[in-house]
């Protein structure tokens, strides 16, 4: 990688935002249909709630499967080309959604078109998000990896927070074509904007196989997956939790989770470089664990809200902190593969949280999943402590 000239914080952030904006376009495309499509499949097309949920989940499975390959293509072709293809696929998902509505006279055809659109969107997410992070790292230098990943996360959650209510509003005004067309327009604008950005020279060097990359990053990916469980239980089951207790305000708890997440990214994105990725991860996992325990034992809404805020705050820096460690383990020409494999652990964590938590709810009630999630996050805390101890004992004190 070529040397990066010294830049001020403002200059660094400006360069990073000019690239992670493509992640924003991608996740806005994901958020727009999220609250609308399940109802459309169930109420308009007449399929069961299981089928409606499966249509949404297809995107997550497609993302999980394609993340590692997205990283490999970013290494081989360069992140700019990968982002361009990803944006095309995001736009294509909007086109398939529009076609599905136009073909709703045949419910099966409409359902199949929606399914194709969700799979295409999952592939687009992998390429755009992974490519944007790697592009940003190349623009400002590997030493700023944590800053790039942090801003990428802010773009992701800001887009998701905006996307769902905006999709509901557009659906109320124009029906599903309202947000389907917006997805296509955003993809076209994002594609044009990406073509104006300079490409990054592909790193030359030996590219090691996936199994060797996996061997270098799996522990950090595993801890990311463990931390994701807390996020998954809140995002998926907090509404059911509130309903079980006869409370209102589940949406506000989700909002507080997002506020905690974004605030930590904005206020403490330099802490990883200052204190080290493992120490930051240890504190973050501990905060997340406390938040989940608060929700488990909460006897009032305000305690649940506080727990959701703490869980979001704790989860916030885990991805960039452990991501920095994962990327450091490989050479620049293999960083895309490392990032793709590492990110796949997040998708896997989200994918398995739902069904396992559902089984726990059936046996011990909805409160139990937050105790179980805290126990899972506590495992990550212990791994971080182990890494710190091994690091401290293995590294001789400097003279």
């Amino acid at each position: 990688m070529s040397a990066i000239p010294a830049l001020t914080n403002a200059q660094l952030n400006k360069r990073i935002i000019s690239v992670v904006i493509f992640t924003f376009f991608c996740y806005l495309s994901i958020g727009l249909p999220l609250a609308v499509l399940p109802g459309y499949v169930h109420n308009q097309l007449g399929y069961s709630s299981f089928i409606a949920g499966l249509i949404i989940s297809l995107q997550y499975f497609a993302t999980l499967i394609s993340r590692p390959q997205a990283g490999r293509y970013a290494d081989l072709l360069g992140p700019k080309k990968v982002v361009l293809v990803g944006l095309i696929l995001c736009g294509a998902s909007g086109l398939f959604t529009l076609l599905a509505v136009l073909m709703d006279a045949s419910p099966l055809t409409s359902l199949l078109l929606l399914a194709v659109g969700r799979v295409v969107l999952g592939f687009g997410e992998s390429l755009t998000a992974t490519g944007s992070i790697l592009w940003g790292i190349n623009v400002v230098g590997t030493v700023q990896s944590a800053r790039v990943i942090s801003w990428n996360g802010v773009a992701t959650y800001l887009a998701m927070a905006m996307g769902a209510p905006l999709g509901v509003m557009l659906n109320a005004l124009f029906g599903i074509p309202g947000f389907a067309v917006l997805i296509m327009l955003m993809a076209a604008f994002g594609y044009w904007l990406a073509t104006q950005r300079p490409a990054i020279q592909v790193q030359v060097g030996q590219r090691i196989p996936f199994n060797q990359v996996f061997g270098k990053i799996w522990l950090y990916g595993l801890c990311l997956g463990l931390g994701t469980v807390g996020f998954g239980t809140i995002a998926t089951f907090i509404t059911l939790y509130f309903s079980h207790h006869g409370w209102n305000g589940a949406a506000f708890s989700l909002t507080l989770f997002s506020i905690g997440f974004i605030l930590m990214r904005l206020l403490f994105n330099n802490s990883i470089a200052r204190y080290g990725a493992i120490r930051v991860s240890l504190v973050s996992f501990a905060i997340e664990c406390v938040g989940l325990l608060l929700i488990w034992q909460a006897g009032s809404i305000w305690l649940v809200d506080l727990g959701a805020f703490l869980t979001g705050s704790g989860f916030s820096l885990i991805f960039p902190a452990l991501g920095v460690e994962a990327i450091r383990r490989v050479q620049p020409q293999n960083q895309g593969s490392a990032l793709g494999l590492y990110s796949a652990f997040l998708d896997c964590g989200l994918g398995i949280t739902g069904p396992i938590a559902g089984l726990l709810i059936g046996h011990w009630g909805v409160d139990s999943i937050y105790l179980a999630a805290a126990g899972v996050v506590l495992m990550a805390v212990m791994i971080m402590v182990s890494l710190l101890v091994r690091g401290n004992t293995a590294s001789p004190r400097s003279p």
Side-chain angles (χ1 to χ4, degrees):
M1 183 183 300
S2 58
I4 306 295
L7 300 171
T8 65
N9 281 333
Q11 290 172 323
L12 284 169
N13 291 336
K14 184 178 179 181
R15 288 194 178 191
I16 294 168
I17 292 171
S18 72
V19 175
V20 301
I21 191 172
F22 306 122
T23 296
F24 178 83
F25 291 148
C26 169
Y27 280 93
L28 192 58
S29 301
I30 292 171
L32 284 169
L34 205 56
V36 177
L37 285 188
Y40 175 76
V41 172
H42 182 57
N43 298 321
Q44 269 70 43
L45 299 184
Y47 289 95
S48 67
S49 298
F50 172 78
I51 296 297
L54 183 61
I55 288 295
I56 297 298
S57 297
L58 282 175
Q59 178 218 316
Y60 302 134
F61 291 127
T63 303
L64 173 61
I65 293 169
S66 57
R67 284 266 200 197
Q69 291 299 329
R72 178 67 84 187
Y73 287 137
D75 286 334
L76 293 173
L77 305 176
K80 178 177 179 177
K81 290 181 180 178
V82 166
V83 167
L84 289 172
V85 175
L87 290 169
I88 291 173
L89 292 176
C90 289
S93 74
L95 176 61
F96 279 111
T97 302
L98 180 61
L99 291 174
V101 175
L102 296 177
M103 298 293 290
D104 62 1
S106 172
L108 179 59
T109 303
S110 180
L111 186 72
L112 290 175
L113 287 168
L114 285 177
V116 173
R118 298 298 295 172
V119 171
V120 167
L121 183 58
F123 292 157
E125 177 190 356
S126 295
L127 293 168
T128 307
T130 305
S132 294
I133 294 175
L134 198 62
W135 198 351
I137 290 173
N138 278 271
V139 166
V140 297
T142 305
V143 71
Q144 298 293 339
S145 297
R147 188 191 293 258
V148 174
I149 299 174
S150 292
W151 274 109
N152 196 75
V154 171
T156 297
Y157 281 84
L158 184 61
M160 293 291 285
M162 291 174 55
L166 180 59
V168 171
M169 184 186 73
L170 290 174
N171 181 61
L173 293 174
F174 309 106
I176 287 179
F179 65 74
V181 171
L182 178 59
I183 290 172
M184 290 187 284
L185 291 176
M186 279 195 308
F189 177 68
Y191 185 92
W192 173 81
L193 203 61
T195 60
Q196 308 306 303
R197 302 288 303 157
I200 299 299
Q201 184 178 0
V202 177
Q203 294 289 333
V204 178
Q206 181 184 7
R207 290 183 169 83
I208 60 178
F210 270 135
N211 62 325
Q212 293 185 29
V213 177
F214 182 84
K216 294 176 181 292
I217 63 93
W218 73 269
L219 184 60
Y220 307 104
L222 173 64
C223 291
L224 171 65
L226 295 174
T228 303
V229 170
F231 164 57
T233 51
I234 289 181
T236 308
F237 294 105
I238 195 68
T239 303
L240 181 62
Y241 178 89
F242 268 73
S243 176
H244 173 75
H245 287 276
W247 297 335
N248 296 317
F252 185 63
S253 288
L254 287 171
T255 300
L256 286 174
F257 176 94
S258 299
I259 290 173
F261 183 97
I262 292 173
L263 281 178
M264 289 293 287
R265 286 279 176 104
L266 294 177
L267 298 177
F268 297 100
N269 62 354
N270 291 327
S271 62
I272 299 171
R274 183 176 300 175
Y275 301 110
I278 303 301
R279 288 185 175 86
V280 170
S281 298
L282 172 60
V283 174
S284 297
F285 282 126
I287 293 172
E288 183 181 2
C289 189
V290 170
L292 291 166
L293 289 173
L294 266 179
I295 297 175
W296 169 55
Q297 282 292 286
S300 60
I301 295 176
W302 75 268
L303 280 176
V304 180
D305 291 340
L306 177 60
F309 179 82
L310 289 175
T311 304
S313 300
F315 181 63
S316 178
L317 294 177
I318 291 171
F319 187 97
L322 296 178
V324 167
E325 287 298 307
I327 291 173
R328 282 177 52 198
R329 293 303 184 272
V330 298
Q331 295 298 316
Q333 64 270 18
N334 296 297
Q335 286 182 347
S337 299
L339 187 59
L341 284 167
Y342 170 73
S343 301
F345 280 91
L346 185 146
D347 301 317
C348 188
L350 288 176
I352 66 175
T353 295
I356 293 177
L359 291 173
L360 290 175
I361 290 172
H363 285 86
W364 292 289
V366 69
D367 292 8
S368 67
I369 63 173
Y370 294 99
L371 175 61
V376 170
V377 175
L378 185 60
M379 292 170 58
V381 171
M382 292 188 290
I383 294 174
M384 292 299 106
V385 171
S386 172
L387 289 176
L388 275 178
V389 170
R390 281 192 295 170
N392 290 341
T393 55
S395 302
R397 180 177 297 179
S398 300

